Amino acid sequence: MNYVSTRGDNKKRTFSQAVLEGLADDGGLLVPESLPDFSQEWPQWKDLPYDELAFRILEPLAGDLPEGALRQCCSSAYGESYGGPVAPLRPVGPYQLLELFHGPTLAFKDVALQLLGRLFGVILEQNGQELNIVAATSGDTGSAAIHGLKDVPRVRLFVTHPEGRIADLQRQQMTTVVNDSVFNIAVKGTFDDCQHMVKDLSSDLEFKRKNSIGAVNSINFARIAAQVVYYFAAYLQTPRALEKVPAVVAVPTGNFGNILAAEYARRMGLPLACTVLASNENDILPTFFNTGLYKRGTARATHSPAMDIQVASNFERYLYLLASENPAKVKELMTSFATTGELQLEANPGSQWSALACSNKETLATVKEVWENHQQLLDPHTATAWWAMDQCLNDFEPDLPKIVVGTAHPAKFPEVLKQVVSSDVPELKHPTLEALKSLPERLFAIPARTDSLKEFVTSGIELGAGGVFLRSEEKAAPHG
Ligand SMILES: *Cc1c(COP(=O)(O)O)cnc(C)c1O
């Protein structure tokens, strides 16, 4: 399979090249030239183990990997080290809850990042290259990336977070990883400062090339491809899957990576009647699906922080599908968006879509109601999708399977949930998170300046794989 830019730079890449490249030089996102059609095959996949299912779906997309490598990556990513089942589906009240939060960091991002780490390992080994990843996180992505990449040879990871401004649990999930190749950097500033520093560093092409800088953000197509798998896995677990009864899925959405994978699954032959997009009060995507207008706003802090976005980084891939894969049209729309902060689509933004914005109040009310009625504690992100499914229930025939995608374990967000359930509820704790509290942490502090970050990254690279970077600003490890 070849990969092309959504803005049409006329270059074709292999899967391996697309995985390393991340963003195309013309600013577009990389997408497969065509999609495989599994509509004849998927009914035979019902009883496959998850890693084998992943292999069947990814094989046509990742054809240039060395013989046996993909199968090896899938079985290692989704084997014992994963920590729990990858995508179990459980009936809860009127819905089926897809629990994507049994991985090492208890959030759905593990599904993709555990695989991405292994893919990087294979590709870098084959090319004899190194990769230095520089990222900014306000929580979830950083820890999933660290846990997915910490043991991958030839990869170093520099993850910035705003000092003192992320939850203790989320910091501990990152800073208790003390591998030599992982550098947690506390920036004396805000999350915006972190993002700007990483962006500045990445737009210095000379620095980027010299230091083999790469990205793991959700624009990497391998992450989307890995997420397609769990939609097939989920559907195959619904009670009447082999009758091909179309399902409805509701997805808590931020950067549009998770729900985009559902759309790809549909286009690969999975019977999905409707994708229900749930946002929080940051409603740029619901506005788009309801009016065709995509307009940049200012991000608000909500109870579902992993969905607090201004613009959705994967949206351009969906525009490309809507524009019948015409890159000139995508380029025109995205240029308009870059200059005016908005774009207006004439065509229907999606006939098999519903999109709703869930307020903080509705999020909490949903957590409370689902807890009281079904003894199921939802995390605040998952609650937005449950709420959105409730809103459009009357649009669907009662016997269609309704899948609510669960993106995080509730124990990751105890402060929010304690506003509506008693603090004794056992689901507010998880042994993986409890264990972190007694582990030593390692992190490095730098000022909120791009040259400080560049200097830090360069010194970290010079140390090579074996060294640990100590400097005067290193913070004494807080012991819990
Ligand atoms: C990242 C994240 C989301 C949003 O997923 P996107 O792919 O960015 O739309 C939702 N919930 C949780 C818990 C997340 O970590």
Side-chain angles (χ1 to χ4, degrees):
M1 181 72 69
N2 287 318
Y3 288 78
V4 295
S5 163
T6 49
R7 299 191 194 175
D9 64 2
N10 288 324
K11 270 196 267 175
K12 290 186 199 292
R13 295 98 173 145
T14 63
F15 178 74
S16 304
Q17 287 165 338
V19 168
L20 292 186
E21 193 172 333
L23 199 66
D25 285 344
D26 65 355
L29 303 191
L30 299 175
V31 287
E33 230 172 5
S34 63
L35 293 175
D37 177 4
F38 298 124
S39 45
Q40 301 304 310
E41 280 154 277
W42 70 255
Q44 286 123 56
W45 292 345
K46 186 157 170 48
D47 297 314
L48 291 183
Y50 193 88
D51 61 333
E52 179 63 24
L53 182 66
F55 173 73
R56 303 273 178 107
I57 291 171
L58 296 171
E59 196 189 17
L61 292 164
D64 71 301
L65 290 179
E67 177 91 34
L70 180 64
R71 185 169 245 126
Q72 173 61 32
C73 287
C74 292
S75 49
S76 152
Y78 303 125
E80 210 154 302
S81 67
Y82 195 77
V86 183
L89 190 75
R90 267 194 329 110
V92 178
Y95 305 144
Q96 310 275 337
L97 181 63
L98 178 62
E99 298 187 343
L100 299 177
F101 46 72
H102 298 293
T105 73
L106 309 181
F108 91 99
K109 292 189 173 71
D110 288 328
V111 181
L113 284 162
Q114 286 294 315
L115 184 74
L116 184 65
R118 271 103 177 152
L119 292 172
F120 276 145
V122 167
I123 297 167
L124 294 172
E125 156 99 61
Q126 193 185 19
N127 300 356
Q129 276 175 279
E130 289 196 347
L131 187 63
N132 295 299
I133 290 174
V134 185
T137 189
S138 55
D140 269 358
T141 313
S143 59
I146 288 172
H147 287 263
L149 281 86
K150 65 188 169 70
D151 297 317
V152 180
R154 299 165 187 271
V155 174
R156 277 181 220 94
L157 201 53
F158 299 86
V159 181
T160 62
H161 69 262
E163 182 173 53
R165 294 179 195 235
I166 62 173
D168 286 350
L169 272 179
Q170 297 207 312
R171 187 194 67 247
Q172 286 158 350
Q173 283 193 298
M174 300 195 287
T175 56
T176 54
V177 175
V178 296
N179 296 42
D180 291 344
S181 58
V182 175
F183 300 93
N184 277 293
I185 307 170
V187 170
K188 296 186 186 303
T190 61
F191 176 55
D192 265 355
D193 292 330
C194 297
Q195 271 188 313
H196 279 132
M197 289 158 68
V198 172
K199 231 182 227 158
D200 270 359
L201 178 147
S202 312
S203 55
D204 181 344
L205 296 181
E206 164 81 30
F207 182 88
K208 212 176 139 181
R209 194 186 40 76
K210 211 169 135 206
N211 296 294
S212 320
I213 304 294
V216 280
N217 46 17
S218 60
I219 58 174
N220 200 308
F221 188 79
R223 285 182 63 179
I224 308 294
Q227 291 170 184
V228 168
V229 178
Y230 54 67
Y231 287 103
F232 280 90
Y235 182 83
L236 286 163
Q237 292 172 78
T238 58
R240 292 165 57 207
L242 296 184
E243 294 166 46
K244 306 191 180 178
V245 182
V248 181
V249 289
V251 187
T253 298
N255 275 318
F256 203 72
N258 196 350
I259 200 162
L260 177 69
E263 176 65 19
Y264 278 125
R266 169 160 48 209
R267 287 168 187 251
M268 293 178 190
L270 191 70
L272 295 181
C274 183
T275 30
V276 178
L277 181 153
S279 81
N280 57 29
E281 293 174 7
N282 295 289
D283 61 355
I284 175 168
L285 288 165
T287 304
F288 170 74
F289 279 95
N290 296 316
T291 69
L293 175 69
Y294 188 68
K295 187 170 190 294
R296 191 196 301 270
T298 29
R300 277 160 87 151
T302 70
H303 292 327
S304 43
M307 294 155 58
D308 291 346
I309 54 111
Q310 298 174 45
V311 291
S313 47
N314 270 293
F315 178 69
E316 185 166 338
R317 288 194 169 105
Y318 184 65
L319 266 190
Y320 182 74
L321 294 176
L322 279 182
S324 311
E325 315 202 342
N326 174 356
K329 183 71 193 165
V330 174
K331 196 167 173 178
E332 178 195 318
L333 288 167
M334 291 312 293
T335 306
S336 148
F337 183 70
T339 47
T340 64
E342 59 181 74
L343 67 84
Q344 174 75 51
L345 196 78
E346 308 305 333
N348 181 342
S351 52
Q352 289 174 296
W353 288 71
S354 294
L356 299 107
C358 179
S359 68
N360 273 340
K361 211 171 134 198
E362 287 156 341
T363 305
L364 289 179
T366 303
V367 171
K368 188 167 159 55
E369 181 194 304
V370 176
W371 174 249
E372 285 169 359
N373 295 341
H374 309 295
Q375 290 71 55
Q376 172 74 41
L377 190 62
L378 301 178
D379 94 281
H381 304 79
T382 308
T384 64
W386 187 290
W387 173 86
M389 188 73 102
D390 280 347
Q391 305 314 301
C392 37
L393 206 51
N394 292 335
D395 303 348
F396 309 116
E397 288 171 30
D399 60 346
L400 301 193
K402 296 178 190 71
I403 299 170
V404 172
V405 176
T407 51
H409 192 284
K412 291 192 83 167
F413 301 94
E415 281 78 25
V416 176
L417 301 182
K418 277 183 210 163
Q419 295 180 33
V420 282
V421 300
S422 150
S423 49
D424 314 329
V425 167
E427 286 84 348
L428 286 171
K429 289 200 166 150
H430 190 286
T432 303
L433 299 175
E434 293 305 303
L436 298 178
K437 294 180 181 165
S438 60
L439 292 178
E441 297 181 49
R442 191 178 77 217
L443 73 170
F444 306 90
I446 66 168
R449 296 207 330 257
T450 307
D451 27 335
S452 304
L453 180 62
K454 281 183 177 170
E455 190 200 321
F456 187 97
V457 169
T458 320
S459 338
I461 293 169
E462 276 167 9
L463 278 171
V468 168
F469 192 15
L470 293 176
R471 50 190 282 149
S472 53
E473 296 99 318
E474 190 188 8
K475 238 182 131 163
H479 292 276

